[in-house]
């Protein structure tokens, strides 16, 4: 029937599309990203400029945004470090290689599409909440072309991993104080 023919044609197109995607992935895996990277100084300068622009546009909400982003990056970094506590840089290096294999060709720096980025993190076994994934995708889409900068993302993970451990004790104590206060029927 006509419906079966349409269905077969759709399946064939999907199969051809999947095959083409597999060929691109295989080509990337054999080649990897081999372009010339921007220097760390260039990336830092661009990051500071973007942060100033973001701070100007968000105003008072910038600190909350930055805190949420840092928390998201911290969670990813902790998951990576937990894989090899004795050598926490090793899982990050493996993630870097995977992202570079997925990198788009002919770019000045390794970039991946937002779909490739999300798929790579998920396939690497990282558990990232949907809203956090959206934040990462939005924040590291540095050129507003739906392409994420691999280097910017990895720089941020390395930076957050070098900071002293955060203490959430004050927030936990505050929440505990709120709970006690509610039980007593009073305010803070």
């Amino acid at each position: 029937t006509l419906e079966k023919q349409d269905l077969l044609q759709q399946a064939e197109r999907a199969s051809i599309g999947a095959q083409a995607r597999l060929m691109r992935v295989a080509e990337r895996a054999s080649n990897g990203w081999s372009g010339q990277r921007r220097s760390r100084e260039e990336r830092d300068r661009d990051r500071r400029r973007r942060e100033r622009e973001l701070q100007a546009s968000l105003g008072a909400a910038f600190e909350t945004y930055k805190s949420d982003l840092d928390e998201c990056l911290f969670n990813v970094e902790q998951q990576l470090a937990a894989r090899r506590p004795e050598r926490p840089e090793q899982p990050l290096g493996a993630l870097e290689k995977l992202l570079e294999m997925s990198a788009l060709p002919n770019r000045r720096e390794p970039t991946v599409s937002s779909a490739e980025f999300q798929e790579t993190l998920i396939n690497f076994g990282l558990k990232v909440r949907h809203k956090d994934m959206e934040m990462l995708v939005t924040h590291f889409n540095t050129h507003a072309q739906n392409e994420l900068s691999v280097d910017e993302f990895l720089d941020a993970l390395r930076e957050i991993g070098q900071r002293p451990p955060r203490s959430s004790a004050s927030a936990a104590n505050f929440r505990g104080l709120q709970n006690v206060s509610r039980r007593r029927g009073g305010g803070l």
Side-chain angles (χ1 to χ4, degrees), residues 72 76 79 121 126-133 136:
C72 178
V76 170
Q79 288 181 60
L121 292 186
L126 298 174
K127 298 194 180 355
V128 181
R129 295 179 305 193
H130 180 72
K131 71 177 190 126
D132 290 344
M133 186 68 82
L136 290 173

Side-chain angles (χ1 to χ4, degrees), residues 38 41-57 62 109 139 141-144 152:
R38 292 184 310 141
E41 292 79 26
E42 286 178 286
R43 293 192 311 266
D44 285 344
R45 186 178 56 245
D46 288 348
R47 180 183 46 80
R48 286 189 301 272
R49 179 189 49 78
R50 281 192 311 277
E51 277 191 3
R52 284 191 305 273
E53 291 170 359
L54 192 58
Q55 190 170 15
S57 68
F62 175 76
E109 63 181 323
H139 186 79
N141 182 10
T142 58
H143 302 295
E152 296 277 345

Side-chain angles (χ1 to χ4, degrees), residues 20-21 23-36 98-113 116 143 145 147-148 150:
R21 284 190 298 279
M23 289 176 65
R24 283 194 306 272
V25 168
E27 182 180 318
R28 287 182 197 148
S30 64
N31 296 336
W33 183 84
S34 60
Q36 178 72 28
L98 279 176
L99 287 168
E100 285 177 353
M101 286 191 313
S102 300
L104 299 165
N106 305 322
R107 301 295 195 277
R108 179 143 191 254
E109 63 181 323
T111 59
V112 292
S113 70
E116 286 281 346
H143 302 295
Q145 296 176 334
E147 297 174 4
L148 285 75
V150 171

Side-chain angles (χ1 to χ4, degrees), residues 161-177:
Q162 292 174 354
R163 292 183 190 168
R166 300 180 320 166
S167 171
S168 59
S170 61
N173 289 340
F174 181 72
R175 282 191 297 276
L177 182 60

Side-chain angles (χ1 to χ4, degrees), residues 141-160:
N141 182 10
T142 58
H143 302 295
Q145 296 176 334
N146 203 27
E147 297 174 4
L148 285 75
S149 169
V150 171
D151 287 339
E152 296 277 345
F153 174 66
L154 295 169
D155 287 348
L157 281 178
R158 286 184 179 106
E159 182 181 308
I160 205 109

